[in-house]
Amino acid sequence: MTAEQVAAPAGEDVATAADSLLASLMSRPWGQASPSVYETGRLVTLAPWLTGHQERVDYMVASQLPDGSWGAPDGYGLVPTLSATEAILSALARGDAGPDSAGLWEAAERGLRVLAGWLPELPGLPDMPAIEHVVPSLVALINRHLAGLEGYEPLPLPPGMSYETLELVRSWVESGTELPEKLLHALEIAGPVAGGASAVRPTAIGTVGASPAATAAWLGGRLAPDAGSPTDSAADRAADTAARGHLEAVARRHGGPVPVGMPITVFERGWVLSWLIRAGVPVDVPPEMVADLRAAIGPAGASAGPGLPADADTTSVALYALALLGMPYEPDSLWAFHAGTHFSTWPGEQGTSVSVNAHVLDAFGQYVVRRPDAASRYEEAITAVAAWLRERQNQAGSWTDRWHASPYYATVSCALALDEFGGDVSAGAVGAAVEWVLDTQRPDGSWGRWDGTAEETAYAMQVLLLSRWRTDPRCSRAAGRGAAYLGRSAGADHPPLWHDKDLYTPVAVVRAATIASSHLARRVQP
């Protein structure tokens, strides 16, 4: 065997890794996600009383890049740089820095210089959730700090942004108007009026919008230790206690820094099971996990976790995973997201997502495989969604998407769904995706948008090894080089590539993708 073949884990190792991963999902049901610069910065400002405050301040300073920014290239750095800079300014204003105030001032000034250079001429920004509200809210907060300092000019908004919609949201919150559930995930943009907002209540586990920042914003200043109004009702006090308890638990996950979203229970389980089972990885799925996944799908669909609205993506992947497990469940809840020619992530979505529609195609297609008598109810939608996906393929053969920074994620989602359920008419699109993957492999065997990563390499390998072109010797050779790269990068951190208010890594989901691809590579080796 070659070195590339040896790099693919043995079958027993893959099975053990998969079982260990599933066990971790059961033992940590809120999910496993990387820390977020944006979200951690908001807690520095909003909840200095919370466990791990100094560690969050230290994380802000330690994660600053040499050029003074935070985050990834191509516009992805704006939100984390705004949040981190504002958080450090807040810490300085409160006197949190102690004897290290000079170091904090240096970090803040470097961030301000970057922002002053970026904001006036910033090109188009990535399509991140609530970015049109988050950016103005942070610019306004920073300018409030700068107004009390000599020698600093206020920061401008990026071209095309305004404060108008932000003010509208704040007026909604202040009036007690019931808010769209998806807006709760970014409640912190409402500023002081978010504190104890009457139309907002934490979930049973204490989260608001599955966001530490939103939860801290709702708590406001009410729960600095021993704070609280004597006129609060028992229900108010219970909600406050639950929210603070949730924040304390989340803050301990990474020793202070926090993720951008938690819990992500249903999202995490659906994607992990789908990656593993689609690739044929032998898994022993706990029956409790299957039951929980089924119970999460209601008439309106499934949400990624408590505090978030139901969405077509989570619903589709949960349905697909159940069908792969031999427990198909009628996917009629997806019709609530039907938008004519395609499916929206949620009703009223601005923009579209190819990965969401690829997952809808998976859900409908796999259900029909398991329930052929249902074909007449879904054939038209399957045909229409497949055509919609083909029309959105880039000329080079890839796809891009609003929920992930990497085209390899969008491409594996679309190519595999079209290959399996898009019919012969989709063969050309799948073939073009395979050629694009072959053409974009890096000399070290990896794939990636900015640098080679294990996550993106895993997606590229699945395009090569799960499509109808898997018998092409070029695919097995390229996948072998990819498997060798995965072997060399085992144990390394996965850079954040998934879209939320900030880029993040759903650690278990990415781990499942790499296990699946290693298993596939071993299967094709002689």
Side-chain angles (χ1 to χ4, degrees), residues 297 299 315-316 319 323 328-336 338 340-341 343 357 359-387 421-422:
I297 306 172
T315 305
S316 295
L319 288 165
Y329 182 71
E330 181 77 42
D332 53 356
S333 59
L334 285 173
W335 294 120
H338 194 216
T341 59
F343 287 74
N357 282 272
H359 296 147
V360 170
L361 182 56
D362 282 335
F364 284 163
Q366 192 63 37
Y367 183 76
V368 168
V369 168
R370 298 284 183 171
R371 295 282 188 270
D373 57 316
S376 61
R377 296 199 294 277
Y378 300 105
E379 280 180 342
E380 184 177 350
I382 288 171
T383 300
V385 169
F421 305 116

Side-chain angles (χ1 to χ4, degrees), residues 14 38 91 120 123-124 187 203 211 229 258 311 341 387 400 436 462 473 504:
V14 167
Y38 168 78
L187 183 66
T203 67
S211 162
S229 168
V258 294
D311 67 83
T341 59
T400 56
W436 175 76
Q462 290 182 37
Y504 76 105

Side-chain angles (χ1 to χ4, degrees), residues 340-342 352 354 357 383-400 414 418 425-426 428-430:
T341 59
H342 67 286
T352 58
V354 295
N357 282 272
T383 300
V385 169
W388 188 88
L389 290 174
R390 291 193 301 270
E391 291 167 2
R392 278 149 187 82
Q393 187 175 28
N394 299 323
Q395 187 173 0
S398 63
W399 283 266
T400 56
C414 296
L418 287 172
V425 70
S426 298
V430 179

Side-chain angles (χ1 to χ4, degrees), residues 117-501:
W118 279 355
L119 288 168
E121 301 177 357
L122 201 66
L125 292 171
D127 186 7
M128 309 289 279
I131 192 170
E132 71 277 17
H133 304 311
V134 168
V135 170
S137 70
L138 292 172
V139 170
L141 287 173
I142 289 175
N143 285 341
R144 195 172 303 162
H145 289 295
L146 297 183
L149 301 172
E150 293 185 10
Y152 291 92
E153 295 292 326
L155 297 176
L157 287 177
M161 284 194 178
S162 75
Y163 294 107
E164 293 179 7
T165 56
L166 179 62
E167 292 305 319
L168 179 61
V169 169
R170 289 175 173 175
S171 68
W172 288 348
V173 175
E174 192 169 21
S175 70
T177 301
E178 185 175 356
L179 302 174
E181 197 171 3
K182 66 179 182 179
L183 187 58
L184 297 181
H185 187 57
L187 183 66
E188 68 275 8
I189 66 171
V193 299
S198 59
V200 178
R201 303 302 285 179
T203 67
I205 64 170
T207 181
V208 173
S211 162
T215 306
W218 182 81
L219 282 169
R222 291 155 49 85
L223 279 190
D226 301 324
S229 168
T231 61
D232 285 349
S233 68
D236 287 337
R237 291 193 295 273
D240 291 346
T241 300
R244 183 167 65 173
H246 177 78
L247 280 182
E248 293 280 353
V250 173
R252 288 189 175 94
R253 283 289 185 96
H254 296 285
V258 294
V260 73
M262 187 164 285
I264 53 171
T265 310
V266 183
F267 157 70
E268 181 180 75
R269 292 178 177 185
W271 264 256
V272 166
L273 291 174
S274 294
W275 290 134
L276 296 176
I277 300 171
R278 188 173 213 159
V281 177
V283 289
D284 183 14
V285 182
E288 303 94 331
M289 185 182 298
V290 179
D292 289 347
L293 199 62
R294 165 61 193 88
I297 306 172
S303 65
L308 294 169
D311 67 83
D313 210 18
T314 305
T315 305
S316 295
V317 177
L319 288 165
Y320 178 65
L322 289 170
L324 289 176
L325 287 164
M327 300 182 63
Y329 182 71
E330 181 77 42
D332 53 356
S333 59
L334 285 173
W335 294 120
F337 306 97
H338 194 216
T341 59
H342 67 286
F343 287 74
S344 299
T345 307
W346 49 73
E349 176 187 27
Q350 295 179 346
T352 58
S353 166
V354 295
S355 69
V356 168
N357 282 272
H359 296 147
V360 170
L361 182 56
D362 282 335
F364 284 163
Q366 192 63 37
Y367 183 76
V368 168
V369 168
R370 298 284 183 171
R371 295 282 188 270
D373 57 316
S376 61
R377 296 199 294 277
Y378 300 105
E379 280 180 342
E380 184 177 350
I382 288 171
T383 300
V385 169
W388 188 88
L389 290 174
R390 291 193 301 270
E391 291 167 2
R392 278 149 187 82
Q393 187 175 28
N394 299 323
Q395 187 173 0
S398 63
W399 283 266
T400 56
D401 192 53
R402 68 178 313 189
W403 294 117
H404 202 284
S406 173
Y408 294 97
Y409 174 79
T411 300
V412 71
S413 300
C414 296
L416 295 188
L418 287 172
D419 188 67
E420 196 165 1
F421 305 116
D424 290 341
V425 70
S426 298
V430 179
V434 169
E435 293 297 333
W436 175 76
V437 169
L438 290 171
D439 289 344
T440 56
Q441 188 172 28
R442 294 169 177 268
D444 66 355
S446 70
W447 284 268
R449 173 176 176 172
W450 295 305
D451 294 301
T453 70
E455 178 184 356
E456 293 166 282
T457 298
Y459 300 150
M461 290 170 61
Q462 290 182 37
V463 174
L464 301 179
L465 299 180
L466 281 173
S467 75
R468 66 189 73 186
W469 274 268
R470 58 185 170 271
T471 57
D472 186 326
R474 298 178 303 155
C475 292
S476 59
R477 287 195 297 269
R481 294 193 296 274
Y485 174 82
L486 290 184
R488 294 193 302 272
S489 61
D493 289 339
H494 300 287
L497 293 169
W498 293 68
H499 282 196
D500 202 316
K501 291 175 282 185

